């Protein structure tokens, strides 16, 4: 092996080690991200669940496009 190949391997191993270390360590700001953020003083509501008629209409539309 030449010196440049050895250097390439060392750099590659260091990059892999740094990547794996970053993945396995919990982030330092994790506690800040876990708090839900309220927009304009109220939590955002979940999207409405479609009714049976809306499901049937979507299925009809899909069949028409085939």
């Amino acid at each position: 092996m030449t010196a440049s190949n050895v250097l390439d391997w060392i750099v590659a191993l260091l990059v892999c080690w740094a990547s794996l270390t970053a993945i396995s360590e919990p982030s330092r700001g994790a506690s800040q991200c876990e708090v839900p953020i309220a927009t304009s003083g109220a939590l955002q509501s979940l999207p409405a669940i479609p009714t049976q008629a809306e499901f049937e209409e979507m299925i009809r539309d899909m069949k028409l496009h085939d």
Side-chain angles (χ1 to χ4, degrees), residues 48-62:
I49 298 173
T51 63
Q52 184 65 30
E54 290 172 332
F55 275 125
E56 291 171 0
E57 183 181 351
M58 285 187 275
I59 291 171
R60 271 193 310 270
D61 289 343
M62 287 184 220

Side-chain angles (χ1 to χ4, degrees), residues 22-55:
I23 291 170
S24 65
E25 285 183 1
S27 63
R28 294 183 182 139
S31 60
Q32 297 172 355
C33 296
E34 293 171 1
V35 177
I37 299 172
T39 56
S40 29
L43 293 176
Q44 293 179 352
S45 63
L46 296 173
I49 298 173
T51 63
Q52 184 65 30
E54 290 172 332
F55 275 125

